[in-house]
Amino acid sequence: MGFLSWLGLSRKRTNSVSQFRDDESGSSTASPAGEFAVDEYRPMKVVCIGAGYSGIIAGIRFSQKVPNLDLKIYEKAAGIGGTWWTNKYPGLMCDTPSHCYQLTFEEHSQWSSFYTPGSEILAYLHRVVEKYKLMRYIRLQHELVHARWDGPSGKWHLRIRRGDTGEEFDDTTDVLFLGTGSLSRPCWPDIPGLGDFKGRVVHSGKWDIPDDDLKDWADKRVGVIGNGASGIQIVSALQSQVGTLTNFVRQKQWIAETFSATKILELMGRAPGSIDFSITDAERERFKDPAFYKEFRHNLENSLNSVSRMTIRGSEAQKAVAAMCKEDMINRLAKKPELIDKILPEFSVCCRRLTPGPGYLEALCADNATLEVTPISKITSTGVTLSDDTHHPLDVLICATGFDTTYKQPFPIIGRDGRMLNDRWADWAEAYMSMAVDGFPNLFFGTGPNSFVNAAGSLLIIMERQVAYAVSAVLKMQRERLRSMQVKAEALRDWREYMDAFFPKMVYTESCNSWHKNVEGKIVGLWPGTCLHAVRTLANPRWEDYTYTSLDKTGNRLYWLGDGQTHNEKTMTGDRAWYLDDEEVDFPPVPEDASA
Ligand code: NA7
């Protein structure tokens, strides 16, 4: 009996198996048993684009998990940190509690506040990069110009431009991991006359005004366009430092109490209702106790993951949170009750991203602040003109107008048969389980389409699991000597159908604008489920939803079993009882009594 028939496979049958049926694969009469050990892992190259949170996690996990790896992380900016490098506006902070906005494996207990200023998050990321020596892999000021899939070699061909010298060079990689995020390309408002304004104009996502300059703003007339998270934080931070402040908004907005605030106060034994979230020296001392820190964080994340039911349309949880927010907002607007109708939305809480705005409503109630809801018709050399011809003269105009959230890449990504990713996404951006797109083999996304969660849960745990998914895929390719893996179009179709069935039940699809949606109202930003749902789903990749091509020419899917040995046996080097190491042994729990 031949080897193949012993495996229950004939050559003819193997070649017709869809797993390896691909025009990039070939077959020959070579022996189906390779001349290598089963764990003699082939060299793999992974290139990650972006050194924000996704790229940093990727740097840590790929280098930890994948043997025989060549890893590069190209970052176009001059520093690491992604969104925390780009955004520098006054009042920048993370509205997820600090203790939940950090990596699961890299705890930091010494935050200055329960809601971390952006500069501290950036400092945290610098420490992580330093600790895991990631600058070995990171190339700053290196921008991807284009990426092109080459089927015969099974590699992505990349063109990279150095930001400092302008020089361009080529690179290739087996696997491309795009950690470019979706909130990285600031979007200027399409308002006529923006270029005519003679005062100072700045975008929140391209803040280039030194802190020292703000000291001279005490008599300046400042306009802020937008009431997303950035606009809200900027208004809160600047109102008391400027002459007058006008916030131009075109949509109402729910303003929540800070996320998990009640839980934080309860866990810290603080008085309910307190709004000062700075952490005292004594509290920071308490956090030095690992047991206290761990229990605090666990409780807080447990609480953060307990509110997702409010995102279901018409749910009791939604009604309760709406009533709570409404009461809180009305109280906070007591000084200017005329603002209530201008701010309090008709749509459900979380239709737009729920944004905690400590200090925002209070700032709008100040004597020097105005909330302007009449639409802007144009910008002139002196300020903003509204559709009723009212003119607001301004010295400074801040566009907190968000980001290009179409997921369209600023560089061509050319997949199989010359197809461009942006064309594939012409109608809307989609990726199977947020990770992969048919026609684009060996390409995985960090925070790709449908990655985010609204107010419940932490994005970072999703990012970690997305990287883990990509790492598992790379390990599979390496172990099984696969040249390429590509998600099946029908798997993406099923994912799409699942999302189409899921989202109408949720508040996100109500009538409101948000960066979660594309212009037709399709949800492209949010994971179709809860944060924990994403975590569980990504932990169990369905490898049968991919097609593969093999590096070998035998057409035998088990060629990678090699010569029947492991490397340590073959070379008589290393440990040959490694399975007894503590980290390898899976110790089962012992029932406490025989009847249990
Ligand atoms: P967002 O949340 O996308 O907010 C952008 C804001 O800018 C929003 O209020 C927009 O109004 C407004 N906008 C945009 N274009 C215009 C024009 N042409 N005229 C008037 N107003 C305009 O971006 P952020 O930077 O605040 O936050 C992004 C996310 O980063 C945030 O959710 C966190 O997750 C982190 P609209 O709502 O479209 O009517």
Side-chain angles (χ1 to χ4, degrees):
M1 185 187 277
F3 185 75
L4 280 180
S5 40
W6 177 75
L7 287 169
L9 302 168
S10 69
R11 165 88 45 231
K12 197 165 162 227
R13 193 174 143 214
T14 306
N15 282 345
S16 69
V17 170
S18 71
Q19 188 175 18
F20 288 127
R21 196 182 56 206
D22 190 293
D23 58 4
E24 289 165 2
S25 160
S27 66
S28 78
T29 53
S31 164
E35 293 299 319
F36 45 79
V38 69
D39 54 1
E40 199 175 310
Y41 300 119
R42 72 173 176 107
M44 290 293 291
K45 182 156 176 182
V46 173
V47 167
C48 170
I49 307 297
Y53 252 117
S54 276
I56 288 170
I57 299 167
I60 295 169
R61 290 306 190 193
F62 276 109
S63 59
Q64 174 196 359
K65 303 276 184 188
V66 184
N68 211 1
L69 174 75
D70 180 1
L71 177 65
K72 283 266 167 351
I73 303 173
Y74 291 120
E75 165 58 61
K76 97 172 150 41
I80 60 105
T83 200
W84 301 106
W85 164 268
T86 311
N87 283 286
K88 298 180 168 73
Y89 60 77
L92 174 70
M93 63 168 220
C94 183
D95 47 29
T96 298
S98 318
H99 297 79
C100 307
Y101 197 76
Q102 53 187 309
L103 300 168
T104 50
F105 56 90
E106 196 54 48
E107 296 173 345
H108 178 55
S109 65
Q110 298 298 293
W111 301 105
S112 69
S113 164
F114 288 106
Y115 300 93
T116 317
S119 56
E120 269 183 59
I121 298 176
L122 191 57
Y124 166 80
L125 286 173
H126 273 286
R127 287 197 299 277
V128 171
V129 166
E130 172 73 21
K131 176 171 173 180
Y132 294 97
K133 314 256 181 310
L134 298 184
M135 289 315 289
R136 284 178 291 175
Y137 314 116
I138 297 174
R139 301 287 176 273
L140 297 175
Q141 293 185 281
H142 281 61
E143 181 176 7
L144 180 63
V145 178
H146 66 241
R148 182 177 53 78
W149 171 249
D150 181 63
S153 64
K155 292 189 191 298
W156 283 97
H157 288 230
L158 313 175
R159 173 144 284 242
I160 308 291
R161 182 188 302 128
R162 292 185 57 145
D164 49 356
T165 62
E167 172 204 345
E168 291 191 3
F169 63 92
D170 294 320
D171 198 358
T172 59
T173 183
D174 297 303
V175 172
L176 185 59
F177 181 80
L178 278 189
T180 45
S182 65
L183 297 169
S184 58
R185 293 189 302 284
C187 213
W188 290 96
D190 53 351
I191 302 173
L194 181 62
D196 299 338
F197 184 61
K198 293 282 184 277
R200 198 157 190 176
V201 63
V202 62
H203 192 287
S204 55
K206 284 189 167 197
W207 193 265
D208 57 359
I209 300 176
D211 285 353
D212 268 358
D213 287 18
L214 300 185
K215 291 181 190 140
D216 302 329
W217 284 18
D219 56 358
K220 295 274 188 274
R221 298 160 300 177
V222 176
V224 179
I225 303 180
N227 61 353
S230 306
I232 285 172
Q233 291 181 355
I234 290 170
V235 167
S236 312
L238 283 187
Q239 170 270 321
S240 62
Q241 302 183 47
V242 301
T244 62
L245 187 142
T246 308
N247 188 195
F248 301 93
V249 308
R250 62 179 183 187
Q251 240 195 134
K252 297 180 177 180
Q253 176 68 299
W254 287 102
I255 305 295
E257 71 162 356
T258 39
F259 293 149
S260 302
T262 312
K263 194 73 191 173
I264 289 172
L265 299 176
E266 177 198 318
L267 292 172
M268 297 308 293
R270 289 187 177 194
S274 160
I275 53 164
D276 178 7
F277 286 100
S278 47
I279 300 178
T280 64
D281 288 344
E283 286 170 333
R284 253 190 304 282
E285 275 305 306
R286 283 180 81 189
F287 279 124
K288 285 184 182 166
D289 170 5
F292 176 75
Y293 168 84
K294 264 191 194 323
E295 195 183 343
F296 175 84
R297 180 173 181 187
H298 195 105
N299 277 326
L300 205 54
E301 296 218 12
N302 188 48
S303 150
L304 201 64
N305 284 315
S306 303
V307 292
S308 54
R309 294 187 71 79
M310 70 179 168
T311 56
I312 300 171
R313 280 188 191 214
S315 63
E316 289 307 314
Q318 167 62 218
K319 288 177 196 156
V321 76
M324 203 174 72
C325 282
K326 183 174 173 182
E327 187 187 342
D328 184 50
M329 287 171 71
I330 290 172
N331 287 337
R332 289 165 62 191
L333 289 170
K335 204 175 151 202
K336 285 192 187 172
E338 68 277 15
L339 295 187
I340 293 171
D341 283 348
K342 294 182 175 181
I343 301 185
L344 210 55
E346 289 76 33
F347 51 75
S348 295
V349 179
C350 289
C351 182
R352 298 179 77 188
R353 182 178 183 272
L354 182 58
T355 301
Y360 175 67
L361 297 177
E362 293 75 6
L364 291 182
C365 285
D367 292 340
N368 68 339
T370 306
L371 177 70
E372 190 51 80
V373 296
T374 308
I376 298 172
S377 65
K378 63 180 176 190
I379 294 169
T380 69
S381 60
T382 55
V384 166
T385 303
L386 306 179
S387 61
D388 62 5
D389 283 338
T390 315
H391 186 69
H392 284 271
L394 297 172
D395 302 303
V396 179
L397 179 60
I398 299 168
C399 297
T401 45
F403 298 86
D404 176 351
T405 49
T406 59
Y407 290 90
K408 297 280 169 62
Q409 302 296 322
F411 34 75
I413 296 193
I414 306 159
R416 286 190 60 182
D417 308 319
R419 185 143 194 220
M420 310 267 273
L421 184 60
N422 285 353
D423 292 343
R424 170 68 182 75
W425 283 349
D427 295 330
W428 63 83
E430 59 177 6
Y432 168 80
M433 299 209 180
S434 77
M435 296 301 305
V437 182
D438 56 293
F440 296 82
N442 299 13
L443 171 64
F444 298 97
F445 299 95
T447 60
N450 297 104
S451 286
F452 288 84
V453 282
N454 192 316
S458 166
L459 176 62
L460 292 191
I461 184 65
I462 296 184
M463 288 185 180
E464 284 191 30
R465 297 310 163 112
Q466 288 175 327
V467 169
Y469 185 106
V471 166
S472 306
V474 169
L475 286 172
K476 178 177 172 66
M477 292 180 70
Q478 184 180 51
R479 189 173 58 241
E480 299 179 21
R481 295 174 179 257
L482 301 170
R483 180 174 48 185
S484 72
M485 60 184 289
Q486 170 184 197
V487 73
K488 295 175 182 170
E490 57 265 35
L492 196 46
R493 181 203 59 214
D494 285 354
W495 170 249
R496 190 183 309 136
E497 284 177 10
Y498 166 73
M499 290 198 293
D500 287 347
F502 174 82
F503 280 123
K505 296 180 290 196
M506 310 305 287
V507 295
Y508 319 125
T509 44
E510 287 180 17
S511 180
C512 71
N513 291 338
S514 84
W515 61 263
H516 300 150
K517 304 173 180 170
N518 71 359
V519 283
E520 281 88 35
K522 197 153 188 97
I523 306 292
V524 292
L526 297 176
W527 177 268
T530 63
C531 177
L532 294 180
H533 175 269
V535 169
R536 285 268 194 253
T537 306
L538 291 167
N540 297 292
R542 275 179 52 91
W543 298 132
E544 61 271 42
D545 286 344
Y546 289 78
T547 56
Y548 303 90
T549 68
S550 173
L551 277 171
D552 84 275
K553 298 289 182 189
T554 66
N556 185 312
R557 77 190 70 196
L558 298 179
Y559 177 77
W560 58 277
L561 295 183
D563 61 8
Q565 300 178 77
T566 62
H567 179 264
N568 290 0
E569 295 161 284
K570 194 168 174 174
T571 57
M572 290 308 280
T573 59
D575 188 6
R576 286 170 301 285
W578 46 264
Y579 54 87
L580 293 176
D581 290 351
D582 273 356
E583 64 271 20
E584 293 286 343
V585 178
D586 182 5
F587 293 98
V590 179
E592 286 197 356
D593 64 66
S595 59

